[in-house]
């Protein structure tokens, strides 16, 4: 079945089983490999994308649901919040293995887009769905605060 | 590229000719996207690159690429080893790049194992001199080339930030400009390395080479490898350990659009899809019957009982100092504990995966390989090809924690079999999280039985200890590291106490089970540090002694480094024996780490608020990487100690399936962590694992002072019954 949606500002048409999780459409069909697979059951956040501006676990989102919607992946992040997050991530070397961080950056960006100066508790809540097996959490928290400060200007 | 005849002789002599042939297409002009910030090298090699040895490449565009023989899975080895090369070359950090070295044991063996592989926190220790010499050799050759070009004596030349200069004549050249000329210079036999006091980069927080690529989604993992006409395969694995495939029916699976093939392999039934979703659906539709005659059918509960019974005995003798049993009989006070540790899965963030492409008479593999030499051999053997026809590309790996280092190369074997059954073309084998959690290779289930004796003054006189656990090494190629039938990974950390106890006995009861077991971040120390450090804490408390002062009083000159980290951490935490504070110290992988945890009681469950950590790992090559490894090691150990167990139910099936039933530490459960590094000139030792052992006992000790309860069974928070 053909499904049309917008990915990173570009209209894309895919012809796949409508039940296919968005994650595998992004990766297998569109070769946007920044979005990762960790669990497939909405537990880890490695597959986080933005769907019409809010975070979404692409591993449990059938592609049929995004017909006509706007999807942003790590490859298409452009907002000032996203830049601030990524610069803060690099600035204090948050990633270890790095595999979870596409998802972490997607969640952190959405957090700052909605809440320019999150408290520790806001951060813990917004990031609770993103597992990091290397346990870089400590630096994630710090980097989000740094990004928030940069955005304040 | 031109190779001068001298160079050719040199390359031949060291086997580097092979590396050039095999490797060059896969490496290394730099990715320029992040400007001055160093990036991962990904593109093709260019003409005129200077390749002084197997580890260093200087390109005409002035980038210096370091070939890293160890897999990078988060421990920071790309950055650490590049720092050593940059240091000795006097390079500018911004020009440094890192890439993975090819699988080639003649060039890239781990000097600690004799094969190419990563583990036991050896990456830095075994590469420290090797990488420095590689950098020093490159520098010497660049200097010679400059001396020729400037027509001045080499001794008058200085190098700084990637620029080679002759001050008197005002001449200078960048590394890249000298690359081609340096290729003509004979490599020095024994290049001179710097004095530690002249280090400019070592000991500083240079930015990691891979942080940008790991923050913008461009870092390439095995999962990200897509080849033309690639199929994705998944395997239906046996439902119990030791079960084998009896028969299967693929009729329904083959009706699913996108499922192209189903094949029996030795580990189960492989289902091939045109894409991942087809493979997933196809696998779910396979009907399989299993032969369970050789399977483990005991539940965790039954195994714990069997292990505990074995721990009542003495086991094989490991340590026997004085007479622990006699001393126990004479003790004024005795203390006895039984400690239970469950199986643990590693669950690296990226599940196991590999891409194998079979061509006419050769194959190419992409995998986050931790034991290159063994996996390479396994691929070649199963594929029926000579090893030099099999190219193995080591990809960035999304974590390992020991999981990717298996003696039997079971995943490489499975990937090779699955690819071979498909035939020519590329096949990606992907394990799902369920395969990972149910797939074995666990930290062994372990029971410790400990008896201690105190005299009338509260001094510890007896320590009698038996550990019941499976062997990790027996039956694998690592068995050759066992002596007298003893597997040190079963009891390391408990055979010698850092405390003066006159009568000490340790025995190992070797347990058997079809459940496969493996090293899990810090290996034996995952349970021995817990046993030793909670037991000493309890004995000291019984004797009326403070946990810090009491430990220090039992440490001799040989424990100077343990004592130093202990004192440092006590200062950091403002230790005064406060309720809710607990400490532990452990030497592992030749590094010394002490941690203090501050714990709160949240609805009957421990919540770790703060952790202070002092580490002595010799020369701190990159303090930032060391701090990161301590933070990560603490989080990893804490999560498992608090929440995790793999359990077998009645009949022997694993009761957990995914991260919904195998609970991961999340951001709100991560403590604040402060790390302090002891200044040292000793050779660097490991940091990937040593942060993990002390955290669980520190938390248990804190909890005991807070609530009076001992935590004898892990995990600390009872797991939800499935
Ligand atoms: S892969 Fe989607 S939440 Fe884990
Ligand atoms: S950095 Fe490895 S899982 Fe997060």
């Amino acid at each position: 079945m053909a499904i049309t949606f917008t990915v990173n500002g570009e209209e894309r048409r895919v012809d796949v089983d409508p039940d296919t999780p968005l994650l595998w459409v992004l990766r297998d069909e569109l070769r946007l490999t920044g979005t990762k697979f960790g669990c497939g059951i909405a537990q880890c956040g490695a597959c986080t994308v933005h769907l019409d501006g809010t975070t979404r676990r692409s591993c449990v989102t059938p592609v049929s649901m995004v017909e006509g919607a706007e999807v942003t992946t790590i490859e298409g992040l452009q907002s000032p919040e996203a830049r601030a997050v990524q610069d803060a991530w690099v600035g204090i070397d948050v990633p270890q293995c790095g595999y979870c961080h596409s998802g972490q950056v997607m969640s952190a960006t959405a957090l700052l887009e909605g809440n320019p100066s999150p408290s520790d508790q806001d951060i813990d809540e917004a990031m609770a769905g993103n597992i990091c097996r290397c346990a870089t959490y400590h630096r994630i928290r710090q980097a989000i605060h740094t990004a928030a400060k940069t955005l304040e200007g | 590229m031109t190779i001068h005849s001298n160079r050719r002789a040199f390359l031949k002599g060291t086997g580097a000719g092979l590396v050039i042939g095999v490797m060059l297409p896969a490496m290394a002009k730099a990715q320029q996207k992040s400007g001055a910030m160093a990036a991962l090298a990904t593109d093709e090699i260019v003409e005129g690159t200077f390749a002084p040895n197997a580890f260093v490449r200087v390109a005409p565009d002035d980038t210096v690429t370091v070939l890293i023989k160890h897999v990078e899975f988060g421990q920071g080895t790309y950055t650490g080893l590049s720092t050593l090369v940059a240091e000795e070359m006097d390079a500018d950090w911004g020009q440094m790049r890192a890439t993975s070295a090819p699988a080639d044991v003649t060039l890239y063996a781990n000097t600690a194992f004799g094969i190419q592989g990563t583990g036991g926190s050896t990456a830095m220790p075994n590469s420290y001199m090797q990488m420095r010499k590689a950098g020093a050799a490159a520098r010497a050759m660049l200097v010679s080339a400059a001396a020729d070009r400037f027509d001045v004596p080499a001794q008058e030349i200085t190098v700084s930030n990637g620029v080679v200069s002759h001050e008197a004549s005002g001449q200078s050249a960048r590394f890249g400009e000298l690359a081609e000329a340096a290729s003509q210079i004979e490599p020095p036999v024994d290049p001179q390395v710097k004095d530690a006091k002249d280090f400019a980069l070592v000991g500083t927080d240079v930015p990691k080479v891979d942080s940008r690529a790991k923050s913008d989604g461009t870092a390439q993992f095995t999962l990200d490898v897509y080849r033309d006409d690639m199929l994705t395969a998944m395997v239906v694995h046996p439902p119990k350990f030791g079960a084998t495939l009896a028969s299967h029916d693929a009729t329904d699976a083959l009706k699913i659009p996108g499922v192209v093939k189903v094949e029996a392999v030795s580990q189960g039934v492989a289902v091939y899809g045109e894409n991942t979703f087809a493979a997933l659906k196809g696998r779910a539709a396979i009907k399989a019957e299993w032969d369970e005659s050789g399977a483990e059918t005991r539940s965790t509960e039954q195994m714990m009982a069997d292990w505990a019974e074995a721990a009542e005995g003495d086991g094989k003798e490991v340590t026997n100092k004085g007479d622990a049993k006699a001393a126990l009989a004479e003790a004024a006070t005795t203390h006895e504990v039984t400690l239970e540790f469950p199986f643990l899965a590693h669950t690296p963030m990226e599940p196991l995966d590999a891409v194998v492409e079979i061509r006419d008479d050769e194959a190419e593999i992409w995998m986050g390989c931790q034991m290159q030499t063994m996996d390479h051999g396994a691929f070649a053997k199963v594929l029926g090809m000579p090893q030099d026809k099999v190219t193995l590309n080591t990809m960035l790996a999304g974590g390992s924690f020991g999981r990717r280092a298996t003696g039997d190369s079971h995943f490489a074997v499975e990937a090779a079999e699955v690819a071979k059954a498909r035939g020519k073309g590329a096949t990606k084998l992907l394990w799902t999280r369920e395969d990972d959690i149910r797939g074995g290779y666990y930290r062994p289930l372990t029971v410790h039985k400990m008896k201690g004796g105190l005299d009338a003054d509260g001094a510890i006189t007896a320590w009698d200890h038996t550990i019941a656990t499976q062997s990790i090494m027996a039956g694998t190629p690592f068995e050759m590291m066992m002596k007298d039938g003893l597997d040190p990974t079963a009891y390391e950390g408990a055979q010698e106490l850092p405390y003066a106890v006159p009568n000490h006995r340790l025995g190992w009861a070797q347990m058997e089970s079809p459940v496969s077991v493996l090293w899990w971040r810090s290996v034996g120390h995952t349970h021995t540090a817990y046993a030793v450090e909670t037991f000493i804490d309890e004995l000291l408390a019984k004797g009326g002694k403070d946990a810090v002062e009491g430990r220090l009083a039992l440490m001799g000159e040989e424990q100077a480094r343990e004592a130093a980290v202990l004192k440092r951490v006590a200062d950091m935490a403002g230790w005064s024996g406060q309720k809710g504070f607990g400490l532990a110290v452990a030497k592992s992988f030749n590094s010394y780490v002490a941690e203090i945890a501050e714990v709160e009681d949240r609805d009957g469950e421990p919540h770790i608020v703060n952790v202070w950590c002092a580490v002595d790992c010799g020369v701190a090559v990159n303090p930032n990487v060391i701090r990161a490894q301590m933070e990560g090691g603490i989080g990893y150990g804490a999560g498992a100690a608090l929440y995790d167990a793999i359990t077998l139910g009645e009949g022997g099936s694993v009761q957990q399936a995914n991260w919904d039933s195998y609970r991961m530490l999340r951001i709100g459960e991560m403590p604040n962590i402060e790390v302090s590094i002891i200044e040292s000139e000793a050779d660097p030792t490991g940091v990937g694992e040593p942060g993990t052992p002390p955290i669980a006992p520190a938390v248990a000790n804190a909890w005991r002072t807070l609530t009076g309860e001992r935590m004898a069974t892990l995990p600390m928070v009872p797991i939800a019954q499935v």
Side-chain angles (χ1 to χ4, degrees), chain A residues 81-135:
Chain A
E81 288 82 359
R83 289 230 175 100
V85 163
Q86 286 172 322
D87 288 346
W89 247 241
V90 174
I92 59 163
D93 290 314
V94 174
Q96 290 189 23
C97 82
Y99 191 82
C100 72
H101 281 292
S102 294
Q104 306 280 5
V105 165
M106 296 307 285
S107 293
T109 299
L111 167 64
L112 289 178
E113 284 172 357
N115 176 356
S117 52
S119 65
D120 272 346
Q121 203 185 332
D122 296 335
I123 293 173
D124 286 358
E125 276 166 22
M127 304 301 292
N130 288 83
I131 291 173
C132 175
R133 283 301 279 149
C134 302

Side-chain angles (χ1 to χ4, degrees), chain A residues 23 36-47 57-60, chain B residues 659:
Chain A
L23 169 66
K36 301 296 192 235
F37 164 68
C39 68
I41 60 161
Q43 282 289 317
C44 75
C47 65
R57 304 292 179 241
S58 64
C59 68
V60 291
Chain B
W659 281 327

